[in-house]
Amino acid sequence: MTSIPPVVTIDGPSGSGKGTIAKLLADKLGYALLDSGALYRLTALAALNADVALDGDNLDEARVAAIAGNLDIRFAIAGGEVSAVLEGKDVSRDIRMERVSMAASKVAAIPAVREALLQRQRDFRALPGLVADGRDMGTTVFPDAPVKVFLTASAEERARRRFDQLQGRGVSVSLRDLLEDIRARDDRDMNRAASPLAPAEDAVVLDSTDIDIDGVLHKVLDLVQQRIG
């Protein structure tokens, strides 16, 4: 009988630290890693590159969905780092730009786009296991996952983290603007019709506002030990 690979889902809003925790957890467990947000960022970048309208009433949902269904993408792993490759070009830095982040949130709200990317995400499931990072991993993509974590933090703390991160890269940015962007993104993610951002009923909710990365990782590892062994 074929063993079903276990999945650990790490969901939560932007800036909660879920990407960092997912990567550290996958490394600790020797599991594969799925950064589902990268798929939406790649779709958003491809749409921006194709000059597809992504604003308000001009949002071209059909064309964005077509792009999502035909993405030429792959993930390359080297030196412990994961690179996102779009149409043969490493775009790992490009998909982290603020304009792409904001566009990805809009793209992710399109039901046809989520449907186009659903099976691609599920195909990442393989032995010995998978750590899946996103916003609907535990609710929609892997509802049977034995371990589900919903990682959150206050909007102010998430904005501060993003501010420090960008400042460290030499990027000049306004903390107030970042906070407004995060609140706007939260509102879109939580109120979209397709897979709105919310904890799965059986998820463990962790607030990382006052907990460092090591503390969060320790809690998640304990949870994995309890439920998977």
Side-chain angles (χ1 to χ4, degrees):
M1 184 171 64
T2 303
S3 176
I4 299 176
V7 177
V8 180
T9 63
I10 312 288
D11 289 314
S14 176
S16 61
K18 63 184 184 298
T20 299
I21 291 298
K23 183 176 178 180
L24 291 172
L25 186 64
D27 184 57
K28 284 279 189 182
L29 299 175
Y31 283 11
L33 174 66
L34 166 60
D35 177 359
S36 69
L39 297 180
Y40 292 100
R41 289 171 181 269
L42 285 162
T43 300
L45 179 60
L48 289 170
N49 288 344
D51 293 323
V52 177
L54 295 176
D55 294 318
D57 295 336
N58 295 321
L59 179 61
D60 192 339
E61 296 189 3
R63 195 169 172 202
V64 177
I67 287 174
N70 294 280
L71 281 178
D72 176 11
I73 60 171
R74 65 185 177 87
F75 293 99
I77 303 176
E81 296 295 325
V82 181
S83 299
V85 180
L86 174 65
E87 297 179 352
K89 177 185 176 183
D90 185 346
V91 294
S92 303
R93 291 177 65 105
D94 296 344
I95 63 173
R96 298 298 167 185
M97 294 187 299
E98 281 302 300
R99 74 183 187 101
V100 177
S101 296
M102 293 302 294
S105 182
K106 297 174 184 177
V107 163
I110 302 173
V113 170
R114 304 194 73 82
E115 184 62 31
L117 295 178
L118 181 59
Q119 190 55 48
R120 285 197 178 201
Q121 294 173 89
R122 288 177 173 165
D123 288 342
F124 277 82
R125 189 174 197 167
L127 290 171
L130 174 69
V131 177
D133 152 29
R135 286 173 170 76
D136 65 346
M137 296 297 97
T139 53
T140 300
V141 183
F142 301 106
D144 63 336
V147 178
K148 299 177 184 177
V149 174
F150 189 88
L151 187 61
T152 188
S154 69
E156 291 77 10
E157 174 63 15
R158 289 183 281 131
R160 185 195 63 78
R161 291 173 184 173
R162 184 60 176 160
F163 178 81
D164 290 344
Q165 183 183 55
L166 292 173
Q167 289 284 91
R169 296 177 186 171
V171 179
S172 179
V173 66
S174 163
L175 180 59
R176 178 181 294 179
D177 288 346
L178 286 176
L179 179 57
E180 289 179 359
D181 286 347
I182 281 177
R183 285 173 172 164
R185 194 178 310 176
D186 286 351
D187 183 66
R188 275 198 306 274
D189 290 342
M190 290 187 291
N191 293 296
R192 67 191 180 209
S195 298
L197 174 65
E201 290 185 1
D202 53 346
V204 173
V205 178
L206 294 178
D207 189 327
S208 69
T209 301
D210 299 313
I211 308 175
D212 63 16
I213 290 295
D214 288 341
V216 174
L217 180 61
H218 181 73
K219 288 178 179 291
V220 178
L221 283 170
D222 282 349
L223 188 62
V224 171
Q225 181 62 39
Q226 293 168 18
R227 299 191 179 183
I228 297 177

